[in-house]
Amino acid sequence: MYEKNGEKFFIVDAHVHLWDARPQNQSNIHGKQFIDCFFDYHSNLSPESEKWDYETYLYYGGKRLMKDLFEDGYVDHAIFQTTLLRDFYETNFSQFRETQDLVEANPGKLTHNYAYDPRDGEDGITEMRKAHAKYGFTGVKLYTAEWHGESRGYKLDDMWSRKYLDVAQELGVKNIHVHKGPTIRPLDRDAFDVADVDKVATDYLDLNFVVEHIGLPRLEDFCWIATQEPNVYAGMAVAMPFIHTRPRYFAQMMGELLYWLDEDRIIFSSDYALWTPKWLIEQFVDFQIPEDMTEYAPITLDQKRKVLGLNAVNLYPHIQVPEELKIKTPVGANA
Amino acid sequence: MTTLDERPTSRRSSPDAPSLEAAIMAALDTVIDPELDEPITDLYFVRSVAVDDQGVEVHLRLPTAFCSPNFAYLMASDALDALEMIDDIGIVRVMLDDHHDSDKINAGLAAHAGYRGTFGHEAQDSLDELRLTFMRKAHTAAMERSLTSLIKAGGTTNEAVGKVLLRDLPSGQYKTALLRRRVAIGLSACPNSRVLVDDHGHPIPDDEIPVKLRFARSVRISIEGNGHWCRGVLATRYEGDECDGTSGPLITNTREKQ
């Protein structure tokens, strides 16, 4: 919970990781390139005081994670978005066992989302069923840009991807988090194309599609889809830290999201350990649309409450919110 | 593959011609990052230019190892095409550094293998359609900049914006940029043409004008935002490099006969 000037905010960090990118876990040069790219993002967009050294960044462990999120970072609940990258890292990028142990040791605080790769065919579906029976997840994280063997990515509307979505739906999984990235084949299309989200969002109305990183670098295409598909959400991972380095651009992004989507479909996340949540939350609560940007309405405290936690609770209703931190519905208004 | 009308004009050397180095930089200035709609020289994607008796070797670099290989290839091959237009330049080598597909792209460029020859089974058609998609986005953003600025200056209103003609726009950077992008996607530059048009030059029905202009603004913000992102990450990635991510290329010239 974060409190400022008597105003209280329930915080859900909807996208965090426990990764191991140390050299002994890198399978090849791409494992190094990948974490170096993350480290450049971190270094470029973090305030000076929040920057980590490279060694810490490669691996920080569960104890540090709990401190950064819950002791220092005001977070009430955090959601792990599993990232496999199995062709780049020996035991994957996200550390499954370590994450699951942490979840079990801290009941009520952490949610562990599953990840699958539809290119695994029937075997992967069997695995998902087994994992669901054991862990009962309600969300999955997909990384369409993941390299696997000869393949350098897939689309959500590929035949096998649809089969996996069918099974997810059957199992009662509700939330599909999609990290859109530069999928490669075919190379002559826009690698960041988000059109496949549009297709599956139309066909799977019972599923929620949280587009992580708000479709960046295709913000406009993402907004265009989200305005038409009510089950498409904006995951703020990666977009948040612009609040510090490019506050006017951040204001424009927020303004666009509030216009094309609405205040109920924008989800806060730090993408820890890409960035730490503490300063993002502090700055977001203080944030306001600059006065000269008259094209956008000011952001209200209740809108901030929704973005910082309550919207994620709607997607993950197992997260318990204390009564005093919910938005008070005015007397006489329809709930 | 660069279409003919996008090729830079040839620079013939004459007694008052600029130096070879200036010609090289001018050629590189014509190479545009299709996604950011800015020259690769302004984005500091050119790391080094080395001229010797044999020719010239240019090294390019991008903000991340995972920047899209299709855009990386487009920029590198456009640079090669632009440089080879310079008279007496000799052998041109363009190399892309520190990218996950560096080896593949560099081998393809050295062999003049073309896009499909470079990427083989990963490529289906050509990059022309991809390039057109981004030229259209660039046009949409330029259109929004011109119209929003005209509205702010009191030259039109949100209601009348669909009727604004090219002749109504004040001269200046925005208008020049808009005209250039119109021509690039085959739209008329006639002063009596409407400014607010779709990708094919057709006017927008009245009831769709507000959403069209609103969407054009999102396109503009997105392109500008990507520019912030790429510049920032490039500067971080190459901090401490002899040519850091905030400066132009290292130029060396050991050519004896100028």
Side-chain angles (χ1 to χ4, degrees):
Chain A
M1 195 264 288
Y2 178 61
E3 183 169 357
K4 178 86 185 271
N5 300 333
E7 299 288 347
K8 293 176 179 174
F9 302 84
F10 184 79
I11 310 288
V12 178
D13 193 337
H15 192 140
V16 304
H17 302 275
L18 184 51
W19 68 57
D20 182 355
R22 286 176 289 190
Q24 61 264 37
N25 197 33
Q26 294 170 6
S27 303
N28 47 43
I29 180 71
H30 302 310
K32 178 170 169 30
Q33 287 172 333
F34 190 86
I35 192 64
D36 285 357
C37 180
F38 269 26
F39 188 64
D40 286 346
Y41 290 175
H42 164 82
S43 308
N44 180 245
L45 294 181
S46 292
E48 207 54 47
S49 62
E50 310 300 325
K51 287 184 189 174
W52 291 12
D53 63 82
Y54 185 68
E55 292 304 313
T56 311
Y57 202 75
L58 292 176
Y59 177 76
Y60 40 91
K63 209 173 155 192
R64 169 89 195 233
L65 177 142
M66 292 305 289
K67 184 175 188 302
D68 286 336
L69 297 186
F70 295 96
E71 283 176 44
D72 298 340
Y74 317 117
V75 174
D76 295 291
H77 195 100
I79 302 171
F80 286 103
Q81 303 295 356
T82 302
T83 301
L84 301 174
L85 296 178
R86 52 195 167 151
D87 280 26
F88 290 3
Y89 297 98
E90 293 296 314
T91 62
N92 295 346
F93 185 62
S94 295
Q95 299 308 297
F96 178 83
R97 195 62 256 169
E98 220 178 332
T99 303
Q100 187 58 31
D101 288 347
L102 206 60
V103 171
E104 287 166 19
N106 295 278
K109 288 195 155 188
L110 296 163
T111 293
H112 192 183
N113 277 353
Y114 186 67
Y116 62 70
D117 185 332
R119 292 166 294 188
D120 291 342
E122 284 297 345
D123 292 351
I125 289 181
T126 308
E127 276 299 304
M128 172 158 60
R129 287 187 185 281
K130 267 197 236 165
H132 189 267
K134 196 168 178 188
Y135 303 111
F137 49 84
T138 60
V140 297
K141 159 78 181 306
L142 307 180
Y143 189 40
T144 58
E146 177 151 355
W147 294 13
H148 188 48
E150 284 286 291
S151 163
R152 296 211 267 167
Y154 65 93
K155 294 284 179 193
L156 289 175
D157 57 328
D158 288 349
M159 180 192 73
W160 274 103
S161 170
R162 286 177 179 273
K163 288 191 180 189
Y164 277 65
L165 291 173
D166 289 339
V167 174
Q169 193 165 239
E170 176 205 320
L171 293 172
V173 171
K174 295 300 288 182
N175 304 312
I176 312 293
H177 296 255
V178 189
H179 173 163
K180 294 300 301 182
T183 53
I184 310 288
R185 280 184 74 179
L187 206 61
D188 28 273
R189 301 282 180 270
D190 178 10
F192 295 94
D193 190 2
V194 286
D196 55 336
V197 178
D198 196 6
K199 290 178 187 156
V200 292
T202 308
D203 294 344
Y204 293 88
L205 291 172
D206 292 342
L207 298 177
N208 303 311
F209 292 87
V210 185
V211 177
E212 299 296 341
H213 325 310
I214 55 173
L216 295 176
R218 300 287 171 267
L219 176 67
E220 76 282 27
D221 293 337
F222 165 72
C223 286
W224 189 247
I225 289 167
T227 200
Q228 294 165 66
E229 309 293 343
N231 53 337
V232 170
Y233 290 72
M236 292 296 285
V238 175
M240 281 308 302
F242 284 102
I243 200 168
H244 163 68
T245 42
R246 297 274 178 180
R248 290 183 65 83
Y249 172 54
F250 182 79
Q252 288 176 318
M253 281 194 292
M254 281 307 296
E256 293 301 304
L257 292 174
L258 286 167
Y259 176 82
W260 291 105
L261 288 81
D262 53 62
E263 62 195 54
D264 299 322
R265 290 194 281 150
I266 306 171
I267 313 271
F268 166 77
S269 49
S270 66
D271 217 343
Y272 182 85
L274 271 146
W275 296 278
T276 47
K278 181 175 187 283
W279 65 274
L280 292 172
I281 295 162
E282 290 169 351
Q283 293 198 21
F284 185 67
V285 167
D286 289 344
F287 174 77
Q288 194 45 274
I289 301 279
E291 276 181 21
D292 65 309
M293 286 193 189
T294 49
E295 61 270 39
Y296 303 121
I299 301 184
T300 67
L301 284 171
D302 278 351
Q303 284 176 329
K304 289 179 183 177
R305 284 190 178 90
K306 288 180 174 186
V307 172
L308 283 171
L310 301 179
N311 287 342
V313 173
N314 284 337
L315 298 182
Y316 292 91
H318 66 271
I319 301 173
Q320 299 293 316
V321 186
E323 208 50 45
E324 60 154 352
L325 297 180
K326 292 180 181 168
I327 292 174
K328 320 277 179 293
T329 312
V331 180
N334 289 324
Chain B
M1 201 159 53
T2 311
T3 52
L4 204 60
D5 57 306
E6 292 167 282
R7 282 177 190 269
T9 49
S10 174
R11 288 171 187 78
R12 301 277 164 206
S13 49
S14 68
D16 350 289
S19 71
L20 182 59
E21 287 161 36
I24 288 170
M25 288 311 294
L28 293 170
D29 282 339
T30 67
V31 180
I32 307 290
D33 179 324
E35 189 182 13
L36 307 179
D37 192 31
E38 293 184 67
I40 58 170
T41 43
D42 287 356
L43 292 161
Y44 306 127
F45 290 173
V46 185
R47 183 182 186 275
S48 63
V49 173
V51 182
D52 61 20
D53 285 334
Q54 266 72 50
V56 59
E57 180 167 318
V58 171
H59 283 255
L60 307 180
R61 65 343 180 22
L62 296 171
T64 76
F66 290 95
C67 289
S68 283
N70 48 13
F71 290 122
Y73 175 82
L74 266 180
M75 290 183 270
S77 66
D78 283 359
L80 187 63
D81 287 349
L83 292 167
E84 287 186 337
M85 299 290 287
I86 300 171
D87 284 345
D88 305 323
I89 192 166
I91 297 166
V92 177
R93 276 172 299 173
V94 174
M95 315 279 280
L96 175 67
D97 296 344
D98 308 333
H99 189 270
H100 73 68
D101 263 351
S102 280
D103 292 349
K104 197 177 261 189
I105 290 173
N106 291 339
L109 291 170
H112 285 79
Y115 165 64
R116 295 190 62 187
T118 300
F119 289 105
H121 71 282
E122 291 182 311
Q124 278 183 352
D125 301 320
S126 74
L127 291 174
D128 291 351
E129 199 182 320
L130 180 79
R131 197 196 287 273
L132 181 61
T133 299
F134 284 87
M135 292 193 320
R136 283 173 170 164
K137 282 178 188 276
H139 163 254
T140 300
M143 181 172 79
E144 192 273 345
R145 272 187 207 103
S146 293
L147 290 174
T148 299
S149 133
L150 191 68
I151 292 170
K152 282 196 173 164
T156 185
T157 59
N158 280 311
E159 292 68 37
V161 74
K163 303 272 191 290
V164 173
L165 306 179
L166 284 173
R167 67 162 72 249
D168 302 329
L169 295 176
S171 310
Q173 197 190 343
Y174 285 170
K175 183 173 184 175
T176 312
L178 176 65
L179 289 172
R180 194 167 66 238
R181 284 164 183 80
R182 283 180 71 107
V183 170
I185 61 168
L187 304 187
S188 158
C190 166
N192 291 327
S193 301
R194 290 200 192 197
V195 175
L196 189 66
V197 290
D198 66 13
D199 291 341
H200 307 281
H202 303 309
I204 309 297
D206 283 352
D207 58 333
E208 291 172 24
I209 284 173
V211 78
K212 175 74 186 175
L213 191 61
R214 200 62 196 57
F215 185 67
R217 185 199 287 165
S218 299
V219 173
R220 192 252 304 162
I221 288 170
S222 183
I223 294 173
E224 289 173 359
N226 295 341
H228 298 325
W229 173 253
C230 294
R231 281 199 161 83
V233 175
L234 185 82
T236 300
R237 188 181 195 195
Y238 290 103
E239 192 181 351
D241 189 272
E242 204 182 342
C243 174
D244 70 14
T246 60
S247 55
L250 303 166
I251 300 177
T252 52
N253 189 347
T254 58
R255 187 175 283 201
E256 305 248 318
K257 286 181 224 149
Q258 291 292 330

